[in-house]
Amino acid sequence: GVLNSIGGGAEEPFPLLPSPLGQVIATIPYFERLPVADRASMVGLLLATIDCLGGDEATQQQYDRMTAHELFLRFKISERLVNDFLKP
């Protein structure tokens, strides 16, 4: 296992971050360069995630059939957020 420096030297596996959270952390420099209005459009993506994860099976299937482009348009994600933050 990987040594956990916080765990007093005990060997513990390093916690894996959920994919979206890991992506956000890895791409913070891209996010920081975005204007506030583009950053704010990220709320739409968070709403879509909550709707999908909290929805019933029919809602989840609706998201499964949607392309990323359709999702970005539907939830008004700014083009710059997509190009400068989500694509990299």
Side-chain angles (χ1 to χ4, degrees), residues 15-29:
L16 297 176
L17 298 173
S19 181
L21 182 57
Q23 178 183 1
V24 168
I25 290 172
T27 56
I28 283 175

Side-chain angles (χ1 to χ4, degrees), residues 30-44 78 81:
Y30 300 118
F31 190 71
E32 290 174 337
R33 287 182 266 191
L34 290 171
V36 173
D38 293 303
R39 290 186 208 182
S41 76
M42 177 71 111
V43 170
S78 80
L81 180 72

Side-chain angles (χ1 to χ4, degrees), residues 9-88:
E11 268 194 80
E12 297 177 17
F14 187 77
L16 297 176
L17 298 173
S19 181
L21 182 57
Q23 178 183 1
V24 168
I25 290 172
T27 56
I28 283 175
Y30 300 118
F31 190 71
E32 290 174 337
R33 287 182 266 191
L34 290 171
V36 173
D38 293 303
R39 290 186 208 182
S41 76
M42 177 71 111
V43 170
L45 199 54
L46 297 174
L47 292 174
T49 302
I50 292 168
D51 186 41
C52 180
L53 294 177
D56 58 12
E57 189 172 332
T59 301
Q60 292 171 355
Q61 288 175 358
Q62 183 180 24
Y63 280 100
D64 284 345
R65 288 188 300 271
M66 198 179 304
T67 67
H69 181 73
E70 291 168 340
L71 179 87
F72 299 154
L73 291 175
R74 180 176 175 188
F75 286 92
K76 300 182 184 354
I77 309 302
S78 80
E79 187 174 343
R80 183 156 180 197
L81 180 72
V82 172
N83 291 330
D84 294 358
F85 178 67
L86 296 174
K87 280 187 180 179

